[in-house]
Amino acid sequence: MNNRQLLYALLVAGMSLGTAWAIRGQFGHEQGAAWAGGIGGLSIVLIAKRKDWYAKAFQLALASAAGWGVGGIISYGKVVGFARGLEFGNVYYGFLMLGIIGGLFGLIGGGLFGLTLASSPEKPVRWSQLIAEMTAGAILFYYLLIEQLGWLMTPPRSEAWAACLGMTVALFWYMIRHKQHSAIRLSIFAGLGGGFGFAFGNFLQVMGNVSGIHFNFWNVMEYSIGFFGGVGMAYGTFTSEWETTDAQASRSGLLAPIVILTLIIPFIVWDQSFKTERLVETIRSFDPLTDAAGITTYVQWIALLLVLSFAAYGVFKYYVRANAPLSELRYEGIQLFFFLNLGLYTIYSILITCAFMSLYRIEQYLYILNVAILGFLVKKTQASFSNRGLNLSRWAINFAFIIAIFAILTAVAISTHGELNGANRRFE
């Protein structure tokens, strides 16, 4: 029974972050990843059904958003192209580097989420110190690896992966010093899931392109990193030990996370994505005679009003109405926020692709199906917890196993196609 509960929990967490991350493919960059990361973190709170976690649900969602979002600075378009070639070395390099990039997403996202779970009045996380150390790590590693040693992953694109690697090392050094073992375990499995999911997703994309099936297989790759990243983060959470803390939330600590999650992140997505040129071009691509400019204006205003309404509702329901110094957040309220958040992100994807006007983007409707399935599963799913501790030798074996799988994927990929469009070479 416990294993079955765990499998259901992993499925729901994987579908939550997978759906959000696939939607993130329409928006990209840090803001899109942050929106998806917040949804993934919140799904774990709902699955856990621990009352003491409801009290810091918004802080947990924000920590997950920040961690997964910071990885959005990494450029990986060229790396995806490396895995579309014909030479074993170039293709294997592409899969390995995608594993590293996806791993960095998960390591930081899972680490910050885990530290927020572990933080308590008796053992608080010193966030200002951690942020300073991660900033210093980013600067030092970027300067050493890129400027001094010239270890370029994806020339001539940005090499911000080195900065994220520095942040990850600093994050782990902090967790090790402060003996945050559960957060370490969570971070490791989120990283393994994200790394495997990104490389495997690109393999699926290559196979999909070879098949000739008309579908957005880039979106399949995005769903894969989110799904396996969510599974890894959930597995690390539910197989670790967490102290029980006060089940009430300080009202003063609610406002900033709510505003960031409901207003700032969505508004930046709106500002950076709903450009007139992009929307007009999209509309004219499937209907040249339509009043593209007029429809674009409606889409832009609808998207903006949705964000403002979501933010106003979030602040009113979870902050203004909770007028006592301590607020007891309940499961129903967190669940409502989760589906409003994911629902808005889904609507944004349909609006930006103009899928409400044409069936040319069939994957957009699969998002709606995913949300509907989650609506059925979330309330029925409850995780079973166990404490499996740290097992470095097993993790090393798992890592080696994943590296071997990448070699197999490389051999299969290069045997099934000729030179694909978008293929890149890292080594001549």
Side-chain angles (χ1 to χ4, degrees), residues 9 19 59 69 74 83 111 145 149 214 231 262 323 352 401:
T19 304
Q59 289 87 343
I74 302 175
L145 298 182
L149 299 178
H214 183 67
V231 166
T262 63
N323 53 13
I352 197 66
F401 182 68

Side-chain angles (χ1 to χ4, degrees), residues 15-27 215-224 278 338-339 342-353 355 361-375:
M15 287 184 63
S16 298
L17 186 53
T19 304
W21 204 269
I23 293 171
R24 180 253 177 183
Q26 318 306 326
F27 306 105
F215 191 76
N216 184 355
F217 285 101
W218 182 281
N219 212 227
V220 173
M221 179 181 68
E222 298 278 7
Y223 191 95
S224 179
R278 175 180 178 178
F338 171 80
F339 281 107
L342 179 56
L344 177 58
Y345 208 20
T346 305
I347 292 171
Y348 255 44
S349 183
I350 292 172
L351 288 174
I352 197 66
T353 58
R361 295 290 295 272
I362 191 65
E363 78 279 357
Q364 300 298 309
Y365 305 98
L366 295 178
Y367 301 154
I368 299 174
L369 177 61
N370 272 259
V371 174
I373 294 173
L374 286 171

Side-chain angles (χ1 to χ4, degrees), residues 184-343:
I184 291 173
R185 179 179 175 85
L186 197 165
S187 180
I188 290 291
F189 278 101
L192 288 173
F196 173 79
F198 207 178
F200 181 66
N202 195 34
F203 171 78
L204 294 178
Q205 181 188 194
V206 171
M207 293 297 98
N209 290 335
V210 171
S211 72
I213 298 172
H214 183 67
F215 191 76
N216 184 355
F217 285 101
W218 182 281
N219 212 227
V220 173
M221 179 181 68
E222 298 278 7
Y223 191 95
S224 179
I225 178 179
F227 180 84
F228 287 102
V231 166
M233 194 160 73
Y235 182 79
T237 301
F238 302 136
T239 57
S240 300
E241 185 177 25
W242 309 96
E243 294 182 9
T244 301
T245 57
D246 192 345
Q248 289 185 312
S250 170
R251 182 170 177 267
S252 62
L254 288 176
L255 184 59
I258 292 172
V259 170
I260 293 171
L261 291 169
T262 63
L263 179 61
I264 295 179
I265 293 175
F267 178 79
I268 294 174
V269 169
W270 176 85
D271 178 67
Q272 296 297 306
S273 301
F274 285 83
K275 304 287 188 181
T276 299
E277 297 80 7
R278 175 180 178 178
L279 287 167
V280 168
E281 181 180 350
T282 299
I283 295 169
R284 287 179 176 168
S285 67
F286 54 82
D287 194 347
L289 301 180
T290 298
D291 179 15
I295 295 174
T296 293
T297 300
Y298 281 117
V299 168
Q300 290 170 329
W301 275 104
I302 290 171
L304 178 59
L305 290 174
L306 284 173
V307 167
L308 297 177
S309 300
F310 180 47
Y313 178 80
V315 171
F316 175 76
K317 178 174 177 59
Y318 299 100
Y319 181 76
V320 174
R321 287 183 63 182
N323 53 13
L326 294 176
S327 173
E328 184 177 353
L329 297 173
R330 299 179 183 274
Y331 177 87
E332 291 75 15
I334 303 302
Q335 184 187 52
L336 175 63
F337 183 83
F338 171 80
F339 281 107
L340 285 176
N341 201 8
L342 179 56

Side-chain angles (χ1 to χ4, degrees), residues 381-402:
T381 304
Q382 181 168 357
S384 57
F385 283 81
S386 62
N387 181 19
R388 304 190 184 180
L390 303 183
N391 193 329
L392 299 181
S393 60
R394 179 175 293 180
W395 294 349
I397 293 172
N398 291 342
F399 181 74
F401 182 68
I402 291 175

